[in-house]
Amino acid sequence: MTKIVKSDNPISSILLKELTAMSAVTVTCCIHETSYTKKPGKYDFPTLSCQLPSQEHTVSPSSLAACCGSRGHTFSPATFGQNQRTAACFQQQQVFALDFDDTLSLHEVMDRCRQVQLPLSFVYETFSSTKENRFRAVFIHNCSIDSAIVSKIILTMLIGLFPEADKSCIDVARMFFGGKKVLYQHPQINDFEATFTVFELNTALIAYLSAVDSKNVARKIRTILSKTGIGFGSTFPFINEFSSEAEFFGMCQHTDFYQIKDLSKKIEEIRISSTLLVENRSTFPQFIKINDFYSFYFLVNFKQKNSFHVLLIQTHSTPLKNNNVSTVTAATSIRKKSQKKLLQDFPFKELPKYCQLYRSFQNGETCLDHHHLFGLATQFSNIKEGKTHFFNLLSSSANDDYGYNAHRRWDYYYNYLVSQRYLPRNCIGFCPYHDQCRPSSNMISKALIVRKEIRQTSQPHYSPLPDAEQELEQHLLEALDAKGKDIHLIEAQTGLGKSTAYLRHLDRNNTRKIIAVPTNKLKDAIVKSATDKGYCVMGTPSLPRDQMSPSLLKKVESLFQKGAYRLARLVMEKAVKRHPSPALSAYLEDDKKIFSFSGHLVTTHSKLFTLDASFLQKYDVIIDEDVFRTALRMETVTLQDLRKLKSKLPLPVTQAINLILRRLNRHPLTRYDALPPLDKACHDDLECFADKRLLTNALDFLRSEAAFLDKERLQYAFVQKLPDTKIVLLSATANKELYQKLFCRDIHVYETKEAAYQGRLLQYHDASYSRSYLAEHLDQVIENVRVLCPGNPVITFKIYEQAFCPEQELHFGNLEGHNDFTGESLSIVGTPHVKRCVYDLIGLVLGVPEKTVRSANLSSQPLERNGYRFWFHTFTHPLLREIQLWLIEQELEQAVGRARLLRHDCQVTVFSNFPLRQAILERDLPALPDHQSLG
């Protein structure tokens, strides 16, 4: 016997306690208390073998390396019951060792581990070694294995990975002598980074075999593991990693197991059992029995949060004969139930915006380890063209760090997870950035959304209301002080105090100003407020409708509708001479007086565009609220009226109209050059003609740029230019891109901070709530709104406003400038789409080519807007899409703004599938009493 030390105390208290206390990983194995400096003799062996099973110690990996590798203590990697070191008495094992007797060098072993990315815990030189030619490599699994079958599988796979190792190491009851010194120790030996998992070992073996002989990998791996009892997939062993019970159960549902009796009957029991296991990971490892022959074996993965491994194991004592499906009663192969359906048209270009791990992979920012790449590969394997995309990135110059054989190695990994029908891995199970991203189950779901889902993509930041008010004032002063004749667009929320701000600075820079607001009612309110503040202000007069005779009012409004504005004034002047009317006389006098008034003017959006350009040069113009729809007007004329008008027009104009009509007959949508201008005398004659002979607005057609023919009616669009002076426009909804294209002028945008609503905006997006949807479900929607929002006024389409609120006259299309619902809770029902021809005409006027507009398609597609991602039925062409979305958003925001949520604690409830800023989104309606919901 050649021992030099025999310890008087338990080994853990002398050598192990200090190191083990600081270790994240501990292992339990049998370590003999006797230390040797030479290989024990044949007379020592029986004593060691007999005593070893009773000497269990729980130690850190570094303590194990010091004790056995440096101090010569004999150990057994497994522990045993009944004090008998036999496979039949096996209890558990976490440590696995391989002997190399002058077959491979230490460098070659470490290099192979590095290539297949299998962590090696430590290596020590054995007593029989000379010049470090004999050594023992020790691998530590990341958790304890309590099945001798599974331990045997792991040892067999290690021998397959290192065929040069001593084959007798495959014995789970093997005893190993200590050594002379530690040759290698993992830098993080006491952390889980230095441990391996059975899943990593499986992929490492596949990678090694593919490097040795890429054509026969499947056959070789079956040969190596043929008698271990492991279940096989169509190609590879059923050793899989999951990050949730749903992933595991999903694989069970998408896979057929050949002839495994009772599996279909037990699938629900397996689901329940696996759920309990995953929720309580402390119960791992554990078998879930399928029948008397087969079980699933669950193992925890401490290396990754929420991750676990599952093996399909043959638990019957009779081994499989050659693992050949055709020669056994109950085989362990898995086959595909059907070809897996892959995701089509995946938006790879959008993915870097949502997935930081993908972005790191694409840009080569960091060299991802095997676990991260495998998690990414499970995403790509569920996408059509995913494999091509994955390997293009892997082979790109940005990813040179993955090595020259990365493509070949990962080709087999990829085929492995495809054959095993892997579902996309949950981000929590593999992604180091999962807690920095918005909540999402996997990488695919980050880039894809389902129908009716509205997903928030960014966390909004809201400023205190006083800060937003202060910034609005700063922007306004900057715009008022600016030189030149540009447009200054100040974006500010509804209710932030835009009118209050500009009324404080009307006299700034000693310039006269014209304020244009949406309605006469708001105009009068602004005039009163400005006058009360001591400003010299005059409002452009409003037609005194209530002071005019019905016949006169009808005549004047008819002329306005026909575009005969000059004639309308003449008719009123004649009426006053025949039948004096103080109110109408004052209107006509004030309408002239504005041109000589020396103070500030307040007018409406519509009136602003009728004022003479030379007159407006004297003023700075402040426009309150969006003026786009007033500047780009839509009118209608019948073909009959247009034919009548042609007879009174000069020949060049008639020829131009004939050309337009011929084009419209070929296609109902067209854009054309401006018609030749008319002199004043000719235009005056046309107004008289229109008064007598026409029913529709044919005169403004002479200013049009685009038209749409619908049977016998022609809808046309024309632009009213903003005055050539400095414009300060304050709006919650104005769109810079559309303004630039409409007015072809420099636009300076001032973005004001967004403040949080004091009130509450609740939005239900369970349906589209379009006109057609309401037409089909009107009674049900009315009842739902009545139950969910009792007593609320309702803003909706004009056609349905009487159905919701018979006494109300506020609907989509006439909302700007109305403050009737300030501080009141209200309901908004509908997604205010307009006719396709409106989008087309605006697109033509803004420069979209005629051919493009005609062929533009609408389809349901995922969008990102205002911090949300959602599906919406819209144009594929970007500018037409922007026009449509902006028109809808503008109308809904104007409707919400009527309650002034920014300053009042009330609730606005919206029923629409277009998400609004600051909305609390509800995908489904709450359960309503007596089954009143839409269902």
Side-chain angles (χ1 to χ4, degrees):
M1 186 177 291
T2 55
K3 60 190 177 186
I4 59 170
V5 176
K6 184 173 182 177
S7 177
D8 295 326
N9 298 308
I11 216 165
S12 58
S13 64
I14 296 176
L15 301 171
L16 313 174
K17 182 180 291 185
E18 182 177 349
L19 290 171
T20 301
M22 302 299 293
S23 177
V25 180
T26 58
V27 297
T28 301
C29 53
C30 299
I31 308 175
H32 200 274
E33 63 182 359
T34 305
S35 175
Y36 291 84
T37 57
K38 294 183 180 181
K39 183 176 181 179
K42 63 180 180 179
Y43 298 107
D44 297 316
F45 189 87
T47 303
L48 291 170
S49 180
C50 182
Q51 294 176 354
L52 193 58
S54 64
Q55 299 190 25
E56 290 185 18
H57 298 280
T58 299
V59 300
S60 67
S62 60
S63 298
L64 181 64
C67 191
C68 302
S70 299
R71 304 195 182 196
H73 290 270
T74 301
F75 77 103
S76 174
T79 60
F80 308 91
Q82 304 175 17
N83 287 331
Q84 295 184 32
R85 189 174 57 84
T86 64
C89 295
F90 175 93
Q91 285 186 329
Q92 66 81 40
Q93 182 174 0
Q94 192 171 351
V95 180
F96 299 86
L98 296 180
D99 284 349
F100 294 89
D101 298 327
D102 208 12
T103 53
L104 283 181
S105 69
L106 175 60
H107 173 77
E108 289 172 322
V109 171
M110 294 177 61
D111 189 57
R112 187 173 302 175
C113 288
R114 182 187 58 78
Q115 288 182 357
V116 299
Q117 299 188 1
L118 186 72
L120 175 60
S121 184
F122 64 92
V123 179
Y124 67 86
E125 186 178 16
T126 59
F127 289 125
S128 57
S129 171
T130 59
K131 297 183 180 180
E132 301 180 357
N133 64 329
R134 295 172 183 266
F135 54 86
R136 184 163 293 125
V138 178
F139 302 85
I140 296 179
H141 192 261
N142 96 125
C143 67
S144 176
I145 307 292
D146 66 354
S147 164
I149 295 176
V150 177
S151 284
K152 183 72 173 289
I153 291 170
I154 291 175
L155 284 166
T156 304
M157 295 173 77
L158 283 170
I159 295 294
L161 179 59
F162 294 99
E164 302 88 351
D166 186 347
K167 301 298 187 291
S168 61
C169 294
I170 205 168
D171 182 6
V172 296
R174 183 174 173 84
M175 178 178 70
F176 294 95
F177 296 132
K180 297 189 291 187
K181 64 177 179 179
V182 175
L183 300 176
Y184 165 79
Q185 182 172 296
H186 195 288
Q188 298 171 279
I189 188 171
N190 290 332
D191 294 332
F192 284 107
E193 289 299 315
T195 66
F196 75 96
T197 67
V198 65
F199 178 75
E200 290 173 339
L201 178 58
N202 184 39
T203 55
L205 178 58
I206 293 170
Y208 169 70
L209 294 177
S210 66
V212 173
D213 183 2
S214 61
K215 295 182 179 179
N216 297 293
V217 177
R219 181 179 60 80
K220 285 190 174 184
I221 201 167
R222 279 183 176 271
T223 300
I224 291 170
L225 298 174
S226 62
K227 297 181 181 180
T228 61
I230 186 67
F232 267 76
S234 58
T235 306
F236 300 107
F238 188 89
I239 302 173
N240 292 316
E241 183 175 76
F242 304 98
S243 56
S244 69
E245 171 272 332
E247 279 188 32
F248 164 69
F249 190 60
M251 179 174 285
C252 291
Q253 288 182 309
H254 288 84
T255 309
D256 276 346
F257 295 83
Y258 276 119
Q259 305 174 23
I260 294 184
K261 187 178 179 181
D262 299 329
L263 177 60
S264 60
K265 298 177 183 178
K266 297 204 59 168
I267 199 74
E268 181 61 20
E269 181 182 334
I270 290 171
R271 186 188 69 80
I272 295 171
S273 300
S274 62
T275 301
L276 294 174
L277 269 179
V278 174
E279 290 176 351
N280 184 14
R281 287 154 59 91
S282 62
T283 60
F284 285 0
Q286 192 170 123
F287 281 98
I288 292 182
K289 185 177 179 181
I290 300 173
N291 56 27
D292 291 338
F293 293 91
Y294 300 102
S295 297
F296 287 122
Y297 187 64
F298 284 74
L299 283 169
V300 71
N301 179 12
F302 290 113
K303 298 179 74 171
Q304 294 292 331
K305 185 179 179 181
N306 298 331
S307 176
F308 61 95
H309 301 123
V310 182
L311 292 73
L312 179 66
I313 303 296
Q314 181 194 14
T315 51
H316 191 265
S317 59
T318 304
L320 292 175
K321 183 179 180 181
N322 298 326
N323 207 27
N324 190 323
V325 176
S326 62
T327 62
V328 293
T329 304
T332 55
S333 285
I334 305 168
R335 63 170 180 172
K336 295 179 181 178
K337 185 176 288 187
S338 60
Q339 187 173 0
K340 186 163 67 172
K341 187 176 181 180
L342 302 180
L343 290 171
Q344 306 273 346
D345 302 322
F346 186 77
F348 285 110
K349 292 182 179 179
E350 300 293 314
L351 196 52
K353 294 193 295 188
Y354 309 115
C355 180
Q356 186 173 345
L357 184 65
Y358 176 86
R359 191 163 59 247
S360 296
F361 183 41
Q362 182 185 51
N363 300 334
E365 296 171 3
T366 57
C367 186
L368 305 182
D369 65 24
H370 176 88
H371 188 73
H372 300 147
L373 282 177
F374 197 91
L376 283 175
T378 64
Q379 320 294 317
F380 288 102
S381 67
N382 286 273
I383 303 170
K384 188 175 182 181
E385 304 298 331
K387 184 173 184 179
T388 300
H389 196 79
F390 177 82
F391 283 102
N392 284 344
L393 290 178
L394 188 68
S395 304
S396 68
S397 58
N399 288 319
D400 287 341
D401 291 340
Y402 293 106
Y404 71 94
N405 64 341
H407 194 287
R408 181 173 61 180
R409 186 172 71 250
W410 274 98
D411 186 55
Y412 277 89
Y413 290 154
Y414 199 96
N415 291 337
Y416 168 77
L417 58 90
V418 168
S419 72
Q420 300 291 58
R421 301 177 65 78
Y422 261 81
L423 300 177
R425 296 289 310 282
N426 191 298
C427 296
I428 295 176
F430 74 95
C431 180
Y433 309 112
H434 69 86
D435 57 347
Q436 301 174 26
C437 297
R438 62 168 183 77
S440 186
S441 60
N442 55 56
M443 184 191 80
I444 291 176
S445 65
K446 290 180 188 294
L448 293 180
I449 53 173
V450 298
R451 305 298 175 99
K452 292 189 177 181
E453 177 187 9
I454 298 178
R455 182 187 299 163
Q456 194 169 18
T457 58
S458 59
Q459 195 65 33
H461 172 72
Y462 301 119
S463 297
L465 182 58
D467 290 357
E469 291 173 329
Q470 182 179 1
E471 188 174 49
L472 168 63
E473 182 130 359
Q474 290 172 349
H475 291 335
L476 178 63
L477 294 179
E478 185 177 348
L480 290 174
D481 292 343
K483 305 298 182 181
K485 298 181 179 181
D486 295 340
I487 298 174
H488 299 265
L489 172 57
I490 301 174
E491 298 177 349
Q493 291 169 274
T494 301
L496 188 57
K498 296 186 286 292
S499 59
T500 302
Y502 62 67
L503 284 176
R504 278 198 293 266
H505 303 288
L506 275 187
D507 285 341
R508 189 174 182 85
N509 300 327
N510 296 318
T511 58
R512 287 192 292 169
K513 298 174 179 66
I514 291 181
I515 300 171
V517 296
T519 64
N520 282 309
K521 185 176 181 180
L522 184 58
K523 176 195 69 179
D524 295 339
I526 295 296
V527 169
K528 184 178 185 306
S529 295
T531 302
D532 291 344
K533 292 179 182 296
Y535 292 115
C536 180
V537 177
M538 177 183 178
T540 56
S542 303
L543 191 67
R545 286 177 169 79
D546 56 344
Q547 301 294 317
M548 297 170 64
S549 66
S551 59
L552 176 61
L553 180 60
K554 182 179 180 180
K555 177 71 171 179
V556 170
E557 289 185 336
S558 173
L559 291 171
F560 282 152
Q561 291 171 0
K562 296 175 183 179
Y565 311 111
R566 185 197 61 83
L567 185 58
R569 181 179 179 83
L570 291 176
V571 168
M572 287 185 283
E573 289 174 348
K574 290 179 180 179
V576 168
K577 290 178 181 179
R578 290 195 304 266
H579 306 286
S581 167
L584 188 56
S585 296
Y587 166 78
L588 294 171
E589 287 299 319
D590 287 347
D591 199 34
K592 293 179 180 178
K593 185 179 177 181
I594 61 174
F595 296 102
S596 58
F597 182 69
S598 60
H600 307 294
L601 292 179
V602 183
T603 188
T604 62
H605 290 173
S606 298
K607 181 68 173 179
L608 177 68
F609 289 102
T610 66
L611 297 175
D612 186 78
S614 60
F615 169 73
L616 292 172
Q617 290 285 342
K618 306 171 185 177
Y619 294 86
D620 285 345
V621 178
I622 298 175
I623 300 178
D624 190 344
E625 296 295 353
D626 194 354
V627 75
F628 186 93
R629 294 297 301 275
T630 307
L632 202 167
R633 279 182 57 187
M634 302 277 181
E635 295 289 348
T636 302
V637 62
T638 63
L639 290 181
Q640 183 178 9
D641 279 354
L642 198 55
R643 294 186 187 104
K644 291 178 181 177
L645 184 66
K646 285 195 302 177
S647 64
K648 296 295 182 179
L649 292 172
L651 182 60
V653 180
T654 301
Q655 290 174 337
I657 293 176
N658 287 335
L659 179 60
I660 293 170
L661 292 176
R662 285 197 296 270
R663 292 173 62 179
L664 287 170
N665 284 327
R666 291 195 297 269
H667 194 282
L669 181 71
T670 190
R671 173 156 190 199
Y672 39 87
D673 295 332
L675 295 172
L678 301 175
D679 58 37
K680 183 179 182 301
C682 181
H683 199 279
D684 292 347
D685 291 342
L686 290 177
E687 287 196 5
C688 295
F689 179 77
D691 176 34
K692 297 176 182 178
R693 300 286 307 276
L694 305 183
L695 299 176
T696 54
N697 190 347
L699 296 182
D700 279 331
F701 178 78
L702 301 175
R703 299 195 280 165
S704 66
E705 299 178 28
F708 172 76
L709 179 61
D710 183 14
K711 297 180 181 178
E712 287 297 309
R713 300 184 74 84
L714 198 64
Q715 185 165 1
Y716 59 90
F718 63 96
V719 178
Q720 303 184 102
K721 294 295 184 181
L722 284 172
D724 187 23
T725 186
K726 181 169 69 179
I727 307 289
V728 178
L729 193 153
L730 302 96
S731 173
T733 58
N735 185 299
K736 176 187 176 183
E737 180 185 8
L738 303 187
Y739 267 77
Q740 281 184 323
K741 291 182 178 296
L742 182 66
F743 297 117
C744 301
R745 288 173 62 177
D746 289 335
I747 298 179
H748 305 277
V749 178
Y750 307 78
E751 296 182 3
T752 307
K753 296 172 183 175
E754 187 175 5
Y757 288 150
Q758 182 177 339
R760 185 169 184 259
L761 177 59
L762 179 64
Q763 181 169 358
Y764 293 106
H765 55 96
D766 56 298
S768 70
Y769 292 101
S770 61
R771 283 185 182 83
S772 59
Y773 180 85
L774 290 181
E776 188 175 348
H777 303 92
L778 185 61
D779 292 340
Q780 294 171 305
V781 173
I782 290 174
E783 184 62 16
N784 285 338
V785 174
R786 183 189 67 79
V787 174
L788 292 172
C789 315
N792 279 10
V794 178
I795 295 175
T796 186
F797 300 102
K798 183 177 181 179
I799 191 175
Y800 298 124
E801 66 177 347
Q802 294 302 308
F804 283 95
C805 295
E807 71 285 355
Q808 185 180 304
E809 295 184 358
L810 197 61
H811 51 262
F812 293 139
N814 76 332
L815 298 173
E816 287 184 329
H818 290 276
N819 299 322
D820 301 351
F821 298 135
T822 297
E824 290 187 43
S825 292
L826 64 97
S827 302
I828 300 167
V829 182
T831 304
H833 297 272
V834 296
K835 292 180 179 179
R836 164 71 189 260
C837 64
V838 174
Y839 303 132
D840 290 344
L841 287 173
I842 295 176
L844 288 176
V845 172
L846 297 188
V848 182
E850 188 176 283
K851 185 177 180 180
T852 301
V853 174
R854 290 174 178 176
S855 61
N857 295 319
L858 290 100
S859 64
S860 292
Q861 53 191 286
L863 302 178
E864 183 165 349
R865 192 178 182 90
N866 297 332
Y868 297 106
R869 296 191 71 229
F870 57 100
W871 280 87
F872 203 74
H873 191 74
T874 185
F875 288 94
T876 55
H877 187 273
L879 183 56
L880 292 174
R881 179 170 60 241
E882 180 60 29
I883 291 168
Q884 179 198 12
L885 299 181
W886 170 71
L887 288 175
I888 293 171
E889 181 180 16
Q890 178 202 44
E891 204 64 44
L892 287 173
E893 291 288 357
Q894 285 295 335
V896 170
R898 298 317 95 203
R900 296 297 193 263
L901 288 177
L902 194 61
R903 298 180 183 275
H904 296 275
D905 188 12
C906 54
Q907 176 170 304
V908 175
T909 306
V910 177
F911 298 82
S912 170
N913 67 337
F914 187 94
L916 298 176
R917 293 182 179 90
Q918 302 199 37
I920 301 169
L921 298 168
E922 296 289 347
R923 179 170 175 173
D924 300 308
L925 295 175
L928 300 179
D930 301 324
H931 306 288
Q932 292 172 320
S933 65
L934 289 175

